[in-house]
Short mmCIF file of all heavy atoms in Angstrom, two decimals:
data_model
loop_
_atom_site.label_atom_id
_atom_site.label_comp_id
_atom_site.label_asym_id
_atom_site.label_seq_id
_atom_site.Cartn_x
_atom_site.Cartn_y
_atom_site.Cartn_z
N ARG A 442 30.87 75.68 -52.87
CA ARG A 442 29.75 76.44 -53.42
C ARG A 442 29.94 76.66 -54.92
O ARG A 442 29.01 76.47 -55.71
CB ARG A 442 29.71 77.77 -52.65
CG ARG A 442 28.98 78.90 -53.27
CD ARG A 442 29.54 80.19 -52.64
NE ARG A 442 28.92 81.38 -53.19
CZ ARG A 442 27.92 82.02 -52.60
NH1 ARG A 442 27.43 81.60 -51.48
NH2 ARG A 442 27.42 83.10 -53.15
N GLU A 443 31.18 76.99 -55.33
CA GLU A 443 31.44 77.28 -56.75
C GLU A 443 31.23 76.03 -57.60
O GLU A 443 30.64 76.09 -58.67
CB GLU A 443 32.88 77.81 -56.95
CG GLU A 443 33.12 79.20 -56.40
CD GLU A 443 33.11 79.26 -54.86
OE1 GLU A 443 33.49 78.23 -54.23
OE2 GLU A 443 32.71 80.30 -54.30
N ARG A 444 31.75 74.89 -57.13
CA ARG A 444 31.60 73.65 -57.91
C ARG A 444 30.13 73.27 -58.04
O ARG A 444 29.69 72.80 -59.09
CB ARG A 444 32.37 72.48 -57.25
CG ARG A 444 33.85 72.58 -57.45
CD ARG A 444 34.53 71.38 -58.13
NE ARG A 444 33.83 70.10 -58.15
CZ ARG A 444 34.14 69.06 -57.38
NH1 ARG A 444 35.12 69.15 -56.51
NH2 ARG A 444 33.50 67.93 -57.52
N TYR A 445 29.37 73.49 -56.98
CA TYR A 445 27.94 73.18 -57.03
C TYR A 445 27.26 74.07 -58.08
O TYR A 445 26.49 73.59 -58.92
CB TYR A 445 27.31 73.38 -55.64
CG TYR A 445 25.83 73.02 -55.59
CD1 TYR A 445 25.41 71.76 -55.19
CD2 TYR A 445 24.85 73.95 -55.96
CE1 TYR A 445 24.06 71.42 -55.13
CE2 TYR A 445 23.50 73.63 -55.91
CZ TYR A 445 23.11 72.36 -55.51
OH TYR A 445 21.77 72.05 -55.47
N LEU A 446 27.57 75.37 -58.03
CA LEU A 446 26.92 76.30 -58.97
C LEU A 446 27.32 75.99 -60.41
O LEU A 446 26.51 76.10 -61.33
CB LEU A 446 27.26 77.75 -58.60
CG LEU A 446 26.56 78.24 -57.31
CD1 LEU A 446 27.12 79.60 -56.88
CD2 LEU A 446 25.04 78.32 -57.50
N GLN A 447 28.59 75.56 -60.59
CA GLN A 447 29.01 75.17 -61.94
C GLN A 447 28.22 73.95 -62.43
O GLN A 447 27.85 73.86 -63.60
CB GLN A 447 30.50 74.82 -61.97
CG GLN A 447 31.41 76.05 -62.02
CD GLN A 447 32.83 75.72 -61.58
OE1 GLN A 447 33.20 74.55 -61.45
NE2 GLN A 447 33.62 76.75 -61.33
N LEU A 448 28.00 73.02 -61.51
CA LEU A 448 27.23 71.83 -61.87
C LEU A 448 25.81 72.22 -62.29
O LEU A 448 25.28 71.72 -63.30
CB LEU A 448 27.19 70.84 -60.70
CG LEU A 448 26.30 69.61 -60.88
CD1 LEU A 448 26.75 68.77 -62.09
CD2 LEU A 448 26.29 68.74 -59.61
N VAL A 449 25.19 73.13 -61.54
CA VAL A 449 23.85 73.59 -61.90
C VAL A 449 23.86 74.16 -63.31
O VAL A 449 22.98 73.87 -64.13
CB VAL A 449 23.33 74.62 -60.88
CG1 VAL A 449 22.08 75.32 -61.38
CG2 VAL A 449 23.06 73.94 -59.53
N GLU A 450 24.90 74.95 -63.62
CA GLU A 450 25.00 75.53 -64.98
C GLU A 450 25.13 74.45 -66.02
O GLU A 450 24.50 74.51 -67.09
CB GLU A 450 26.21 76.47 -65.07
CG GLU A 450 25.84 77.90 -64.77
CD GLU A 450 27.07 78.80 -64.83
OE1 GLU A 450 27.91 78.61 -65.74
OE2 GLU A 450 27.17 79.67 -63.94
N ARG A 451 25.98 73.44 -65.75
CA ARG A 451 26.18 72.35 -66.72
C ARG A 451 24.86 71.60 -66.94
O ARG A 451 24.51 71.25 -68.07
CB ARG A 451 27.24 71.37 -66.23
CG ARG A 451 28.66 71.79 -66.58
CD ARG A 451 29.68 70.98 -65.79
NE ARG A 451 29.60 69.55 -66.04
CZ ARG A 451 29.81 68.61 -65.12
NH1 ARG A 451 30.08 68.94 -63.88
NH2 ARG A 451 29.74 67.34 -65.44
N LEU A 452 24.15 71.34 -65.85
CA LEU A 452 22.88 70.60 -65.97
C LEU A 452 21.88 71.41 -66.77
O LEU A 452 21.20 70.89 -67.67
CB LEU A 452 22.32 70.28 -64.57
CG LEU A 452 23.10 69.24 -63.76
CD1 LEU A 452 22.61 69.21 -62.31
CD2 LEU A 452 22.99 67.85 -64.37
N ARG A 453 21.78 72.70 -66.47
CA ARG A 453 20.78 73.53 -67.16
C ARG A 453 21.13 73.72 -68.63
O ARG A 453 20.24 73.81 -69.47
CB ARG A 453 20.64 74.88 -66.45
CG ARG A 453 19.87 74.72 -65.14
CD ARG A 453 19.21 76.02 -64.72
NE ARG A 453 18.17 75.76 -63.73
CZ ARG A 453 18.06 76.41 -62.58
NH1 ARG A 453 18.91 77.38 -62.27
NH2 ARG A 453 17.09 76.12 -61.74
N ALA A 454 22.44 73.75 -68.92
CA ALA A 454 22.84 73.91 -70.32
C ALA A 454 22.49 72.64 -71.11
O ALA A 454 22.11 72.70 -72.28
CB ALA A 454 24.34 74.20 -70.41
N ALA A 455 22.62 71.49 -70.47
CA ALA A 455 22.40 70.22 -71.18
C ALA A 455 20.93 69.82 -71.23
O ALA A 455 20.51 69.12 -72.16
CB ALA A 455 23.21 69.10 -70.51
N ILE A 456 20.16 70.24 -70.22
CA ILE A 456 18.77 69.76 -70.09
C ILE A 456 17.83 70.95 -70.07
O ILE A 456 17.62 71.57 -69.02
CB ILE A 456 18.61 68.91 -68.80
CG1 ILE A 456 19.68 67.82 -68.75
CG2 ILE A 456 17.21 68.31 -68.69
CD1 ILE A 456 20.00 67.33 -67.35
N PRO A 457 17.23 71.29 -71.21
CA PRO A 457 16.36 72.46 -71.26
C PRO A 457 15.17 72.33 -70.31
O PRO A 457 14.66 71.23 -70.13
CB PRO A 457 15.88 72.49 -72.72
CG PRO A 457 16.82 71.61 -73.47
CD PRO A 457 17.36 70.62 -72.50
N ASP A 458 14.76 73.42 -69.72
CA ASP A 458 13.56 73.48 -68.86
C ASP A 458 13.66 72.55 -67.65
O ASP A 458 12.68 71.99 -67.19
CB ASP A 458 12.31 73.12 -69.68
CG ASP A 458 11.04 73.71 -69.07
OD1 ASP A 458 11.16 74.72 -68.35
OD2 ASP A 458 9.96 73.14 -69.28
N LEU A 459 14.87 72.42 -67.12
CA LEU A 459 15.11 71.52 -65.98
C LEU A 459 14.50 72.07 -64.70
O LEU A 459 14.66 73.25 -64.39
CB LEU A 459 16.63 71.36 -65.80
CG LEU A 459 17.09 70.51 -64.62
CD1 LEU A 459 16.74 69.04 -64.86
CD2 LEU A 459 18.60 70.66 -64.41
N ALA A 460 13.82 71.20 -63.94
CA ALA A 460 13.34 71.55 -62.60
C ALA A 460 14.35 71.04 -61.58
O ALA A 460 14.80 69.89 -61.68
CB ALA A 460 11.98 70.93 -62.34
N LEU A 461 14.70 71.89 -60.63
CA LEU A 461 15.67 71.48 -59.60
C LEU A 461 15.04 71.52 -58.22
O LEU A 461 14.39 72.49 -57.85
CB LEU A 461 16.88 72.41 -59.62
CG LEU A 461 17.94 72.17 -60.70
CD1 LEU A 461 19.01 73.25 -60.63
CD2 LEU A 461 18.58 70.79 -60.55
N GLY A 462 15.27 70.46 -57.47
CA GLY A 462 14.88 70.42 -56.06
C GLY A 462 16.14 70.29 -55.22
O GLY A 462 17.22 70.02 -55.75
N THR A 463 16.00 70.47 -53.90
CA THR A 463 17.20 70.35 -53.07
C THR A 463 16.86 70.05 -51.61
O THR A 463 15.69 70.09 -51.21
CB THR A 463 18.05 71.64 -53.15
OG1 THR A 463 19.37 71.35 -52.70
CG2 THR A 463 17.47 72.77 -52.32
N ASP A 464 17.89 69.70 -50.84
CA ASP A 464 17.81 69.58 -49.37
C ASP A 464 18.78 70.59 -48.78
O ASP A 464 19.92 70.70 -49.27
CB ASP A 464 18.28 68.19 -48.90
CG ASP A 464 17.34 67.06 -49.28
OD1 ASP A 464 16.18 67.33 -49.61
OD2 ASP A 464 17.79 65.89 -49.23
N ILE A 465 18.34 71.29 -47.74
CA ILE A 465 19.22 72.27 -47.09
C ILE A 465 19.13 72.09 -45.57
O ILE A 465 18.03 71.92 -45.02
CB ILE A 465 18.80 73.71 -47.47
CG1 ILE A 465 18.93 73.91 -48.98
CG2 ILE A 465 19.65 74.73 -46.72
CD1 ILE A 465 18.30 75.17 -49.50
N ILE A 466 20.27 72.12 -44.92
CA ILE A 466 20.32 72.05 -43.45
C ILE A 466 20.72 73.42 -42.92
O ILE A 466 21.70 74.00 -43.41
CB ILE A 466 21.36 71.00 -42.99
CG1 ILE A 466 20.98 69.61 -43.50
CG2 ILE A 466 21.50 71.00 -41.47
CD1 ILE A 466 22.02 68.53 -43.20
N VAL A 467 20.00 73.94 -41.93
CA VAL A 467 20.45 75.17 -41.26
C VAL A 467 20.92 74.83 -39.85
O VAL A 467 20.44 73.88 -39.23
CB VAL A 467 19.35 76.26 -41.17
CG1 VAL A 467 18.88 76.66 -42.54
CG2 VAL A 467 18.19 75.81 -40.29
N GLY A 468 21.90 75.61 -39.38
CA GLY A 468 22.35 75.45 -37.99
C GLY A 468 23.34 74.33 -37.80
O GLY A 468 23.49 73.80 -36.68
N PHE A 469 24.07 73.96 -38.86
CA PHE A 469 25.17 73.01 -38.69
C PHE A 469 26.19 73.64 -37.73
O PHE A 469 26.37 74.86 -37.74
CB PHE A 469 25.80 72.72 -40.06
CG PHE A 469 26.90 71.70 -40.01
CD1 PHE A 469 26.60 70.34 -40.05
CD2 PHE A 469 28.24 72.09 -39.89
CE1 PHE A 469 27.61 69.40 -39.98
CE2 PHE A 469 29.25 71.13 -39.82
CZ PHE A 469 28.93 69.79 -39.86
N PRO A 470 26.90 72.82 -36.91
CA PRO A 470 27.85 73.40 -35.95
C PRO A 470 28.81 74.38 -36.61
O PRO A 470 29.38 74.08 -37.66
CB PRO A 470 28.61 72.16 -35.43
CG PRO A 470 27.65 71.03 -35.58
CD PRO A 470 26.79 71.37 -36.77
N GLY A 471 28.94 75.54 -36.00
CA GLY A 471 29.88 76.55 -36.51
C GLY A 471 29.28 77.44 -37.58
O GLY A 471 29.94 78.38 -38.05
#
Side-chain angles (χ1 to χ4, degrees):
R442 160 202 179 98
E443 290 70 29
R444 285 237 341 255
Y445 182 95
L446 289 171
Q447 280 161 12
L448 174 60
V449 168
E450 267 179 40
R451 274 166 60 216
L452 291 169
R453 286 204 163 130
I456 308 156
D458 204 25
L459 177 69
L461 280 176
T463 199
D464 291 343
I465 299 168
I466 298 175
V467 300
F469 183 84

